[in-house]
Amino acid sequence: MDGVPRVPKQWRPGPEEPAALRFSVLGPVRAWLGDDPLPAGSPQQRALLAALLLRDGRTATASELIDALWGDEPPSQALAALRTYASRLRKTLGAEVLVSESGGYAIRSLREGALDHVNAQELAADAEKARAAGDLSRARDLLRDALALWDGEPLASIPGPYAETQRARLEEWRLQLLESCLDMDLEQGFHAEAVSELTALTAAHPLRERLRELLMLALYRSGRQAEALAVYADTRRLLADELGVDPRQGLKELQQRILQADPGLAEPSAPKAEPVVALVRPAQLPATVTDFTGRASFVQELSDVLAAASSEEGRVMAVSALAGIGGVGKTTLAVHVAHQARGAFPDGQLYVDLQGAGSRAAEPETVLGAFLRALGTADSAIPDSLEERSALYRSVLDGRRVLVLLDNARDAAQVRPLLPGTEGCAALVTSRIRMVDLAGAHLVDLDVMSPEEALQLFTKIVGEERVASEREAALDVVAACGFLPLAIRIAASRLAARRTWTVSVLAAKLGDERRRLDELQAGDLAVKATFELGYGQLEPAQARAFRLLGLADGPDISLAAAAAVLDLPAEATEDLLESLVDTSLLESAAPGRYRYHDLVRLYARACAERDEQPPSERAAAMSRLLDFYLSTAAGVYAIERPGDRLVDHLEPTAHTGLTFEDRQASWDWLYAEAVPLLACVRQSAGAPMLRRAIDLLWAAVDLAESGANSKEYEAAATALRDAARETSDTHAEGRARVVLSNALLFSGVFDQAYREAKEALRLAEASKDPLPCCWAANILGSIAFYQKRYTDAEAYFSRAVEEFRGCGDLAGSASPLCNLSRLHLATGRADSAVVLAGQGTEIYETLGHSLRVANGRYALGMALGKSGRHIDATAELEEALRVFRDSRQRLWEGMALCRLAEVDLEARKPARAASNAEMALTVLRGIGGEWRRGNVLTVLGKALLGIGHSGRAQVCWREALQIYEKLGSPEAAEVRGLLTPIAV
């Protein structure tokens, strides 16, 4: 147990015990009785308590304790002082806890969990077990829990040589645990997140090579190879300067592996569990397919249920009911599992196709007659009625071990008479509906294949040689099939039968959505025919819901949005949707959310074009959906921005949306609906709904500003601009260009954003649409500011302030005021910058804005930082950061971290600056554009130089310079200046 605290024997309390003593040594030495702190006395008295707590419950002699407290220079009355300290502790802790024996002292009779360092050791031991078992996630959580028990420096302020030794040991142990935890972070792929923590740790412990090694690996796996190599160079130079030694062999080998781009350093992938394969012993069952693929977890789950039923301990009859869409492979899976389980049911296996998906399902009494004959019952002994046949069937099965496969069942009523009902037997049932009313059944919902499984099945049918040369086309084929096994089998069979076709030819044929279902048929197999069977059994209201909901483009749809499409109350809509889920024509993606399989959606749309009467109902349904989104998004915007006039300038809606009681609920809705909402926007780019679609995108501006959906938002804005231009709608085009330029601004695409905003301003002036004029002026000012055209920027910002005020939009005017603050700061007017930021922030606070107040604090923090008021600046920026995080505004969160790093540099706290800048890089990954990434890299380089990591600093600046030069940004000159002294 080297480097690990020893564990005192612990006493386990019985029921109704009084409050327990607790102690901490992983920080200040403290004691509690229950939740009440106890006096631990003077530093020497606490040193005695610590020495006893860390002795494994063993007795410490007086001489040992005197050495522990005073070392080689004890006071003349050391023994008397020791006895005094012990007496005081005994009064506090109790005579049964601090005991005297053999001329010394010991702490005994502590309850479980009384010592924090023991708790940490137990957590660390459990983590090792979890890691050895392959459960890295649990091991990592356990280590984090152990590390959380440290509360600053161990044995803080405790004097004496013993305390000093133990303090060093406990700190070393903490670092070992932290290294193990970070190692597991990297094993689980959290390399980007680990970089920030490792950067701070290497600054705090510059000579600890294991931390440097982990940092190199984290950087390399984050795609930052040059920085990883720079860490090695910094380490080698530091070790040579400080200790006169070279890096250890492991660090050297890692450097070589990075230089060689060793594939073994790539991000580890979790091992795939091997399916458990049972013996296949067919009887009355249909033949299993020779190319059965995947489904390992389902095979295991069903096999376990059947094995439990057939075991000696089995006391009940087992029923497993598989449900899923037509063509998902229910029968194939059930037959495969039944063959594997045949050996466990030596008395026979029965099979029947109940034809539940067709118009004439099999009658239970007919099936029972066939089963009884198969079990050896003479025709003359088979009764006529269903009840008598079912009773005889159960009697014949009594004492036997029989597996019954009831395929393609209509409903639970058809199945119940066919169940064996005796222990040792089992039934497998497949159906398109979920048999929630089949008592005691083990329900299994079968989904489509994973992409890997789908490609494996396709390859098995087509042949490895043809697929290997066109892997990407093969992936396109299985994706077009929606990973549905029946569709994949049909497509693969067509290709296998046509030797002159390539995989690319098939992929092209399936790429046409309007023809896709027609292409997916081969012989007597057809995907459309499979869906038609289910659709034909729907009630009229179900069929209407199935058709109309399929019109929406989003990946899923919420209950409230579906109610708008159907023009029905939420309760009635939910009943309809749940009934469609039961038929497997619709899937429940999550509570209150529904989705179609891709091929089912195409079929639903084909049905809508064929059956929906009058045809105008399709357009009306989509118009109701757009109204729902616009009305609700406007409400979310109004909650977040009280007093903002945008909601007064939006297109009117004929249908209402949702209302929210609080800000958090409105944010939850916006981000949950982001993808379906943006899909609705793009789908509504036609003339009748174009203006509402543009206004919806404008009201949902936070989706672009947060960075979470910026690419999809920008694509939707581009589509609306093009549609507006084609229809020659000046009003719509002006608004679309404002929305697009705003999105491009947040993405850092300044030149294009400038062109769009300039044209938006011209169009808005021509159509006399005042609010786009305000927004366009503010956007143009921001672009000019980022491009360091300060005179233009000030003119645009000043115009924006006046135009917002002219529209009666006080809330809108706060944004250009805060932007003016940043402009004044950049042009050396720090005092007025603080005033302007304060004005903007005050407006937001007065109107009750929360997120916008954070934007004001962001500007104010920057101004205060440049004014030398670092503490005030940090407070403002940290409060802004908290709001940005709570509001899921990742772009602003990342930029706030970057601004905090700048203030840290001004305050000469480079280690903290490096940590904040690293976190900013992680948060801004994939959002905000390359220009902002260049800004963060520049700040990070300065911080790294401040903590002695000059090699990494150069790497960061070189990457920033490449970004700026590619963009033609004026910041390139500053970075060249940073690099020049180092190069010399």
Side-chain angles (χ1 to χ4, degrees):
M1 295 183 24
D2 293 341
V4 180
R6 300 175 66 91
V7 187
K9 182 178 180 180
Q10 307 226 356
W11 173 69
R12 298 179 182 274
E16 300 182 2
E17 292 292 343
L21 283 169
R22 293 186 294 112
F23 300 92
S24 73
V25 293
L26 300 178
V29 176
R30 291 172 290 187
W32 294 268
L33 181 62
D35 293 328
D36 298 323
L38 297 176
S42 66
Q44 282 78 14
Q45 186 171 310
R46 284 184 280 119
L48 172 61
L49 176 60
L52 294 173
L53 287 171
L54 291 170
R55 283 189 66 82
D56 197 14
R58 299 189 306 271
T59 300
T61 66
S63 61
E64 287 174 332
L65 291 172
I66 289 172
D67 287 342
L69 268 65
W70 292 288
D72 296 333
E73 299 180 356
S76 59
Q77 301 296 318
L79 182 58
L82 179 68
R83 290 171 177 168
T84 299
Y85 298 149
S87 176
R88 291 173 181 170
L89 283 173
R90 185 180 290 112
K91 289 179 182 178
T92 300
L93 305 178
E96 74 283 0
V97 175
L98 181 56
V99 297
S100 301
E101 60 181 27
S102 304
Y105 302 96
I107 285 183
R108 305 277 172 78
S109 302
L110 294 182
R111 299 186 185 183
E112 186 175 15
L115 302 176
D116 61 350
H117 75 286
V118 174
N119 297 334
Q121 183 185 358
E122 291 175 349
L123 287 166
D126 290 343
E128 283 300 317
K129 293 176 184 176
R131 187 173 189 176
D135 191 351
L136 293 181
S137 179
R138 173 169 167 73
R140 176 172 171 266
D141 291 343
L142 287 167
L143 280 185
R144 288 292 181 189
D145 290 342
L147 289 164
L149 294 175
W150 265 261
D151 186 15
E153 182 184 48
L155 306 176
S157 303
I158 298 299
Y162 180 80
E164 190 61 37
T165 300
Q166 292 297 318
R167 185 180 297 114
R169 181 164 62 86
L170 291 170
E171 177 59 18
E172 172 62 24
W173 183 39
R174 184 187 75 85
L175 288 172
Q176 290 174 3
L177 295 180
L178 191 53
E179 287 170 347
S180 295
C181 189
L182 288 164
D183 190 27
M184 283 186 280
D185 283 349
L186 300 188
E187 286 188 59
Q188 295 178 84
F190 300 116
H191 35 266
E193 294 80 355
V195 169
S196 175
E197 187 172 2
L198 283 165
T199 297
L201 285 169
T202 53
H205 307 278
L207 298 177
R208 199 169 182 92
E209 291 183 66
R210 177 57 178 156
L211 289 174
R212 298 269 183 163
E213 184 178 349
L214 291 171
L215 178 57
M216 289 173 65
L217 186 57
L219 287 165
Y220 179 75
R221 288 184 177 167
S222 300
R224 299 159 70 176
Q225 179 180 0
E227 283 187 67
L229 294 170
V231 170
Y232 179 81
D234 289 336
T235 305
R236 184 179 61 182
R237 182 172 55 255
L238 179 67
L239 291 174
D241 293 344
E242 297 290 332
L243 304 177
V245 298
D246 289 331
R248 62 185 178 85
Q249 188 61 33
L251 207 60
K252 293 179 181 178
E253 291 176 356
L254 179 59
Q255 183 222 18
Q256 290 301 312
R257 294 178 69 188
I258 291 174
L259 286 170
Q260 296 163 6
D262 185 348
L265 293 180
E267 181 179 350
S269 58
K272 296 181 179 178
E274 293 293 330
V276 176
V277 181
L279 291 175
V280 178
R281 299 176 61 186
Q284 191 184 12
L285 301 170
T288 187
V289 295
T290 57
D291 51 22
F292 184 85
T293 302
R295 305 298 202 188
S297 61
F298 291 109
V299 170
Q300 185 65 61
E301 180 181 353
L302 293 168
S303 297
D304 288 345
V305 173
L306 296 180
S310 62
S311 67
E312 292 297 326
E313 294 77 17
R315 292 292 178 265
V316 294
M317 184 267 303
V319 179
S320 289
L322 287 75
I325 186 178
V328 81
K330 300 180 294 295
T331 299
T332 302
L333 174 61
V335 169
H336 182 78
V337 171
H339 273 286
Q340 290 194 348
R342 181 183 180 276
F345 298 94
D347 296 319
Q349 303 85 40
L350 299 173
Y351 170 84
V352 65
D353 179 359
L354 293 174
Q355 302 177 20
S359 58
R360 299 184 63 181
E363 296 294 338
E365 52 263 44
T366 303
V367 175
L368 283 170
F371 279 177
L372 287 168
R373 293 185 190 95
L375 291 168
T377 307
D379 283 350
S380 59
I382 298 175
D384 292 332
S385 71
L386 173 62
E387 293 76 9
E388 290 176 315
R389 288 188 176 190
S390 184
L392 177 60
Y393 171 64
R394 291 191 295 272
S395 298
V396 169
L397 291 179
D398 185 34
R400 300 188 184 186
R401 294 186 179 277
V402 174
L403 174 62
V404 182
L405 202 168
L406 305 173
D407 191 23
N408 195 14
R410 178 184 57 203
D411 51 30
Q414 186 189 28
V415 166
R416 288 192 192 98
L418 308 178
L419 298 178
T422 53
E423 62 186 44
C425 292
L428 279 174
V429 184
T430 73
S431 177
R432 296 193 181 195
I433 69 168
R434 298 188 78 248
M435 295 198 174
V436 293
D437 52 345
L438 190 60
H442 173 77
L443 302 181
V444 177
D445 293 321
L446 193 59
D447 202 352
V448 296
M449 287 181 151
S450 68
E452 295 79 11
E453 291 175 336
L455 186 60
Q456 288 172 17
L457 176 59
F458 184 78
T459 303
K460 284 183 178 181
I461 298 172
V462 173
E464 178 70 37
E465 184 178 349
R466 296 178 75 182
V467 174
S469 60
E470 294 186 274
R471 180 179 172 81
E472 290 301 320
L475 288 171
D476 290 341
V477 169
V478 296
C481 292
F483 310 112
L484 188 72
L486 175 62
I488 295 167
R489 185 172 295 281
I490 291 171
S493 297
R494 290 190 69 196
L495 183 60
R498 294 162 173 81
R499 302 305 301 177
T500 59
W501 281 17
T502 62
V503 182
S504 299
V505 168
L506 178 60
K509 288 179 175 293
L510 295 177
D512 183 354
E513 286 191 354
R514 298 187 65 83
R515 290 277 308 159
R516 187 175 298 166
L517 288 175
D518 294 328
E519 294 288 346
L520 289 174
Q521 53 185 349
D524 60 351
L525 294 178
V527 171
K528 185 187 294 186
T530 301
F531 296 158
E532 192 74 47
L533 288 172
Y535 178 66
Q537 294 186 358
L538 298 179
E539 298 293 333
Q542 291 176 310
R544 174 180 179 267
F546 174 74
R547 295 190 300 267
L548 292 183
L549 292 177
L551 296 173
D553 271 349
D556 63 1
I557 192 168
S558 67
L559 176 60
V565 171
L566 301 179
D567 200 16
L568 291 173
E571 295 81 2
T573 301
E574 184 174 23
D575 290 343
L576 277 175
L577 268 57
E578 288 298 326
S579 70
L580 288 173
V581 170
D582 288 339
T583 67
S584 296
L585 286 171
L586 193 66
E587 301 173 20
S588 180
R593 301 199 72 84
Y594 301 87
R595 68 185 177 203
Y596 285 95
H597 180 272
D598 291 345
L599 295 179
V600 177
R601 184 195 302 278
L602 294 178
Y603 176 73
R605 290 181 175 179
C607 291
E609 293 180 5
R610 181 188 68 192
D611 301 337
E612 196 60 47
Q613 299 297 330
S616 59
E617 175 58 11
R618 299 199 300 273
M622 293 309 299
S623 181
R624 291 191 295 268
L625 180 63
L626 179 59
D627 276 358
F628 165 78
Y629 280 132
L630 176 53
S631 178
T632 308
V636 172
Y637 188 96
I639 289 175
E640 183 55 51
R641 300 168 177 80
D644 194 300
R645 293 293 308 281
L646 173 63
V647 293
D648 301 326
H649 291 260
L650 299 176
E651 289 289 309
T653 59
H655 296 269
T656 59
L658 298 175
T659 56
F660 302 100
E661 296 296 326
D662 60 77
R663 175 175 172 267
Q664 188 60 47
S666 70
W667 277 104
D668 289 343
W669 177 87
L670 182 64
Y671 286 103
E673 290 293 319
V675 178
L677 182 151
L678 292 174
C680 179
V681 166
R682 296 198 65 167
Q683 197 173 2
S684 304
M689 298 188 288
L690 176 59
R691 289 193 175 189
R692 279 180 291 157
I694 295 170
D695 283 357
L696 169 56
L697 205 56
W698 200 354
V701 64
D702 290 309
L703 296 179
E705 189 169 341
S706 70
N709 302 89
S710 54
K711 291 183 179 178
E712 298 87 347
Y713 187 100
E714 185 180 321
T718 302
L720 294 182
R721 178 207 60 189
D722 294 343
R725 186 167 52 195
E726 289 173 6
T727 57
S728 301
D729 187 337
T730 303
H731 174 92
E733 186 180 350
R735 292 191 168 208
R737 288 184 183 273
V738 164
V739 171
L740 177 56
S741 63
N742 196 47
L744 293 168
L745 173 65
F746 288 123
S747 296
V749 187
F750 298 139
D751 289 342
Q752 186 182 349
Y754 179 81
R755 292 191 296 271
E756 295 293 341
K758 194 75 173 174
E759 183 65 7
L761 185 60
R762 184 189 69 80
L763 292 167
E765 289 173 340
S767 61
K768 294 182 171 53
D769 194 4
L771 205 58
C773 293
C774 306
W775 279 61
N778 197 26
I779 293 168
L780 287 166
S782 296
I783 298 166
F785 171 73
Y786 289 139
Q787 294 178 335
K788 301 191 183 307
R789 295 185 287 109
Y790 295 139
T791 302
D792 291 345
E794 188 157 9
Y796 280 126
F797 287 145
S798 299
R799 174 178 175 176
V801 171
E802 294 305 317
E803 297 215 9
F804 273 118
R805 288 173 176 169
C807 291
D809 194 343
L810 181 62
S813 70
S815 174
L817 279 173
C818 291
N819 288 335
L820 275 170
S821 166
R822 296 177 61 186
L823 176 68
H824 281 223
L825 196 63
T827 52
R829 294 172 281 175
D831 292 341
S832 58
V834 173
V835 172
L836 287 166
Q839 290 175 356
T841 304
E842 184 179 0
I843 291 173
Y844 286 138
E845 288 177 334
T846 302
L847 293 174
H849 289 224
S850 51
L851 175 58
R852 296 307 128 189
V853 167
N855 287 121
R857 291 186 184 278
Y858 174 88
L860 184 56
M862 292 175 64
L864 291 169
K866 291 296 184 182
S867 300
R869 296 164 60 182
H870 302 137
I871 295 176
D872 293 339
T874 298
E876 294 291 344
L877 287 168
E878 286 181 343
E879 176 59 21
L881 176 63
R882 182 190 66 78
V883 174
F884 291 145
R885 281 176 173 161
D886 290 345
S887 303
R888 288 169 276 191
Q889 292 286 320
R890 287 179 55 215
L891 174 61
W892 285 112
E893 177 189 348
M895 292 311 301
L897 285 165
C898 182
R899 301 309 179 195
L900 277 167
E902 290 178 336
V903 174
D904 292 334
L905 285 174
E906 293 273 352
R908 299 183 180 179
K909 298 177 181 178
R912 181 171 162 178
S915 179
N916 280 325
E918 281 285 4
M919 285 191 287
L921 269 186
T922 300
V923 172
L924 291 173
R925 188 168 49 198
I927 62 174
E930 287 295 283
W931 179 80
R932 290 184 176 88
R933 177 175 172 80
N935 290 352
V936 179
L937 285 168
T938 303
V939 174
L940 176 57
K942 293 176 181 178
L944 290 171
L945 185 64
I947 59 175
H949 292 198
S950 59
R952 281 186 65 195
Q954 291 181 68
V955 172
C956 291
W957 289 335
R958 289 193 186 105
E959 185 178 348
L961 182 60
Q962 288 177 352
I963 291 171
Y964 291 144
E965 287 179 341
K966 182 178 180 181
L967 296 175
S969 300
E971 288 83 1
E974 178 195 356
V975 178
R976 289 191 194 97
L978 292 170
L979 283 166
T980 300
I982 296 178
V984 174

